[in-house]
């Protein structure tokens, strides 16, 4: 459950989305679990896959236009995140596409299901977020399987997850930049604990330039 900065990077004063939220119809009425102060959310009983078993078949998309690209982004992100999942013993139930009209960008369910938005609603129809942004979202939500909240311990684990993931060095650098950009979210939410935690772990967040989200 990231904060809200990606969808508001150009017009933060007018918009107020969050990064952890509802998605598919089957879970709309459920409770949610995220680090933004909401309680656990149950997305239905799913099998948990231990880190030594890659759940390739358990990627769910919405069946919208360019569905193959949505699934490709989720599958690639999960494959790159899997070394970190193995290292930290994250029990993943499934990775599901989050509807583009949702105000939030991702959240983690208590059953190990991760919801990630891959379509950028601020762009023309069919446009997707950059791969590095999708991977950053997935790693953020996976980290919440270990640590709730957005304190120093969370960002330390997220930094370790980025280092442990299987992405290319250039992609890892972009992922770190996306995480550093969460400082803007902390400032706009007046969340001093989050800002201090992020800066303690990633001091470059003060001057990091946000990479583009759309590709």
């Amino acid at each position: 459950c990231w904060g809200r900065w990606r969808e508001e990077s150009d017009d933060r004063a007018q918009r107020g989305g969050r990064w952890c939220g509802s998605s598919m119809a089957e879970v709309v009425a459920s409770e949610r679990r995220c680090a933004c102060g909401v309680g656990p959310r149950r997305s239905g009983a799913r099998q948990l896959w231990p880190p030594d078993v890659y759940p390739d078949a358990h990627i769910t998309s919405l069946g919208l236009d360019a569905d193959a690209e949505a699934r490709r982004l989720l599958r690639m992100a999960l494959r790159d995140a899997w070394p970190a999942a193995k290292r930290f013993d994250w029990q993943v139930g499934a990775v599901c596409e989050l509807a583009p009209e949702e105000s939030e960008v991702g959240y983690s369910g208590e059953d190990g299901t991760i919801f990630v938005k891959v379509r950028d609603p601020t762009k023309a129809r069919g446009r997707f977020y950059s791969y590095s942004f999708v991977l950053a979202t997935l790693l953020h939500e996976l980290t919440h399987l270990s640590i709730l909240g957005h304190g120093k311990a969370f960002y330390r684990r997220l930094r370790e997850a980025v280092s442990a993931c299987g992405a290319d060095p250039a992609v890892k650098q972009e992922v770190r930049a996306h995480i550093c950009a969460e400082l803007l979210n902390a400032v706009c939410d007046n969340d001093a604990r989050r800002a201090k935690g992020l800066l303690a772990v990633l001091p470059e967040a003060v001057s990091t330039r946000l990479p583009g989200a759309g590709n």
Side-chain angles (χ1 to χ4, degrees):
C1 37
W2 294 65
R4 60 173 187 278
W5 58 263
R6 165 59 58 201
E7 294 179 8
E8 301 173 343
S9 57
D10 296 328
D11 57 351
R12 172 168 294 278
Q14 288 77 33
R15 305 182 61 178
R18 279 185 178 269
W19 265 27
C20 73
S22 57
S23 62
M24 310 171 85
E26 65 197 43
V27 298
V28 166
S30 303
E31 296 176 337
R32 86 175 46 165
R33 166 185 153 187
C34 70
C36 300
V38 236
R41 177 171 195 151
R42 297 179 178 83
S43 51
R46 293 181 185 271
Q47 178 178 355
L48 289 177
W49 292 82
D52 59 339
V53 179
Y54 174 72
D56 183 70
H58 291 261
I59 293 176
T60 303
S61 58
L62 298 173
L64 303 177
D65 291 343
D67 186 66
E69 176 64 10
R71 295 182 67 85
R72 186 190 71 83
L73 285 170
L74 290 174
R75 183 176 293 107
M76 187 162 59
L78 184 56
R79 286 192 182 280
D80 276 346
W82 208 245
K86 293 176 66 176
R87 175 177 175 180
F88 299 115
D89 196 32
W90 289 329
Q91 303 293 299
V92 181
V95 176
C96 304
E97 180 185 358
L98 192 60
E101 64 270 17
E102 295 289 346
S103 61
E104 292 115 6
V105 184
Y107 75 86
S108 53
E110 66 174 8
D111 63 353
T113 301
I114 307 296
F115 291 85
V116 175
K117 186 187 291 187
V118 298
R119 302 170 190 270
D120 188 346
T122 68
K123 305 295 183 181
R125 185 176 181 182
R127 297 278 286 181
F128 291 88
Y129 288 122
S130 68
Y131 172 65
S132 61
F133 178 74
V134 174
L135 178 58
T137 304
L138 179 59
L139 288 171
H140 183 116
E141 297 308 330
L142 285 169
T143 301
H144 278 311
L145 297 179
S146 295
I147 302 170
L148 296 178
H150 293 108
K152 184 176 179 180
F154 171 81
Y155 283 110
R156 184 184 298 113
R157 175 58 54 84
L158 180 54
R159 182 188 62 187
E160 293 170 348
V162 174
S163 297
C165 79
D168 293 336
V171 175
K172 288 185 179 182
Q173 184 175 359
E174 289 189 8
V175 169
R176 285 177 67 103
H178 287 300
I179 296 169
C180 286
E182 291 187 59
L183 180 61
L184 179 59
N185 179 60
V187 170
C188 290
D189 284 347
N190 197 27
D191 190 341
R193 177 176 178 270
R194 182 174 191 174
K196 290 178 180 178
L198 176 55
L199 288 171
V201 176
L202 296 169
E204 67 267 29
V206 172
S207 57
T208 296
R209 183 176 180 179
L210 181 65
N215 52 21

